[in-house]
Amino acid sequence: MPSFLRVVYRVAYDALYHFTEDDGWAMASHVALSTLLAIFPFLIFGTTLATFLGADKFADIAVHLIFDTWPPSIASPISNEVRQVLTIPRGGLLTISVLAAAYFASNGVEALRISLNRGYRITETRRWYITRLASLFWVLAAVLTLAAISFLLVAVPVALSYAEQMFPWLKQPLGVIASWRVYGTLLVLTVGVTIAHLWLPAGTRRLRDVLPGVTLTLIAWTVGALTFAYYIATFANYARTYAGLASLMIALVFLYIAAVIFILGGEINAAMLKYRVMDKLVNRLSGRTETSMSNPDQAKDI
């Protein structure tokens, strides 16, 4: 146990030290503002492209998947404004405004990439136009993924209804599948954060190298969102301070907290890579497995 606590202390200290030294607080501000500025362009571009592809429910699905992870008191004002923006009819797909929306949406991805480079202590070696094209690719991939989900929303209820008629004994399991919103949101969020850690920064990483930071990020996001929502409901009075800008400031502070946690996830992964924590853990577990197979009595002593 003492050795385990020493490892935890070293990793936590190293991560927090480098977070401060790498201007993590300032980078979190950059990520929060860039994310907030990227939400509207992303949804405008995504809705236009998805409508062109025939996915008419894209806007509703995207709003749910993005804002269902936010506390209702924070998400409601912004999601209402988003829905009003998305109901404005637009022209063809390849218009200057839509292309500009895609470019501005990629700014949010660029902010995440730069912050993760800092978190993993990596110097970017790719050309600026390569990283920008990669960011545009991830924006397009996110839009197509959400469009595919909106297609499924049309087909899945029909398939579930048919399955219930053919196999009545599957009614309860199918009901769990039908409640896709919570599970789908958590799945999309987990996959998105994992992809960001794996492929956004420069260099290469294994899945097991990023899983600790991803797991801690998701847990800390949940705790942080609940805590901040309780703070807003109980103590804070942003409306008195910021008047009409209260909802915007609340969202910005919430995104800042989320950005700090996100960058710290990269710092924790980098610290664990520095001390080779996962490699030592895997080697130790594999050693125990080999020992238990070759000498069961000795394995009991361990």
Side-chain angles (χ1 to χ4, degrees):
M1 182 63 70
S3 61
F4 171 76
L5 292 178
R6 281 199 300 271
V7 172
V8 171
Y9 172 78
R10 287 178 181 176
V11 170
Y13 178 83
D14 188 82
L16 291 174
Y17 174 80
H18 280 90
F19 177 80
T20 304
E21 289 295 311
D22 295 336
D23 300 322
W25 303 107
M27 287 303 303
S29 299
H30 174 54
V31 171
L33 183 58
S34 298
T35 302
L36 187 61
L37 293 177
I39 288 176
F40 282 89
F42 169 76
L43 291 173
I44 291 172
F45 172 72
T47 302
T48 306
L49 178 59
T51 303
F52 177 78
L53 297 175
D56 297 330
K57 292 186 177 182
F58 174 89
D60 291 334
I61 301 307
V63 168
H64 282 304
L65 289 177
I66 292 175
F67 294 106
D68 279 359
T69 55
W70 298 25
S73 59
I74 303 172
S76 296
I78 297 182
S79 61
N80 293 335
E81 295 297 329
V82 167
R83 287 190 175 91
Q84 292 182 18
V85 171
L86 297 182
T87 56
I88 299 175
R90 291 175 176 82
L93 175 65
L94 296 178
T95 62
I96 295 178
S97 60
V98 173
L99 293 177
Y103 180 84
F104 288 124
S106 68
N107 287 339
V109 181
E110 284 289 284
L112 295 178
R113 178 185 62 80
I114 295 171
S115 66
L116 284 177
N117 277 338
R118 295 283 189 93
Y120 283 101
R121 305 153 201 183
I122 299 172
T123 302
E124 184 61 70
T125 57
R126 296 168 289 183
R127 299 285 187 179
W128 67 269
Y129 51 84
I130 298 296
T131 57
R132 177 62 68 171
L133 287 175
S135 297
L136 288 169
F137 166 78
W138 289 117
V139 170
L140 181 61
V143 169
L144 294 178
T145 301
L146 293 179
I149 293 175
S150 64
F151 276 123
L152 289 176
L153 282 182
V154 178
V156 168
V158 177
L160 291 178
S161 177
Y162 177 77
E164 286 183 5
Q165 294 177 2
M166 295 295 296
F167 310 100
W169 53 277
L170 288 176
K171 185 175 182 179
Q172 185 174 359
L174 292 175
V176 175
I177 297 175
S179 61
W180 64 272
R181 182 171 296 177
V182 175
Y183 305 108
T185 300
L186 293 176
L187 178 62
V188 170
L189 182 63
T190 303
V191 172
V193 175
T194 304
I195 289 175
H197 280 269
L198 281 174
W199 293 311
L200 271 188
T204 57
R205 284 151 297 279
R206 297 167 298 182
L207 180 61
R208 75 182 190 190
D209 294 331
V210 303
L211 281 181
V214 170
T215 303
L216 291 174
T217 296
L218 295 174
I219 294 174
W221 271 351
T222 303
V223 175
L226 295 175
T227 304
F228 186 65
Y230 176 78
Y231 167 74
I232 291 295
T234 308
F235 302 105
N237 191 349
Y238 279 77
R240 181 179 300 175
T241 305
Y242 297 104
L245 296 176
S247 60
L248 180 63
M249 292 303 302
I250 291 173
L252 196 56
V253 173
F254 173 73
L255 287 174
Y256 179 77
I257 295 172
V260 169
I261 295 171
F262 178 77
I263 299 173
L264 279 173
E267 293 283 1
I268 289 172
N269 284 336
M272 293 184 70
L273 285 170
K274 176 181 177 180
Y275 293 108
R276 301 179 62 246
V277 175
M278 294 301 294
D279 290 337
K280 293 177 180 178
L281 180 61
V282 170
N283 292 335
R284 187 172 182 180
L285 291 176
S286 62
R288 285 187 176 184
T289 303
E290 294 175 359
T291 302
S292 62
M293 294 177 61
S294 60
N295 192 346
D297 296 331
Q298 186 177 355
K300 291 180 182 179
D301 295 336
I302 295 176

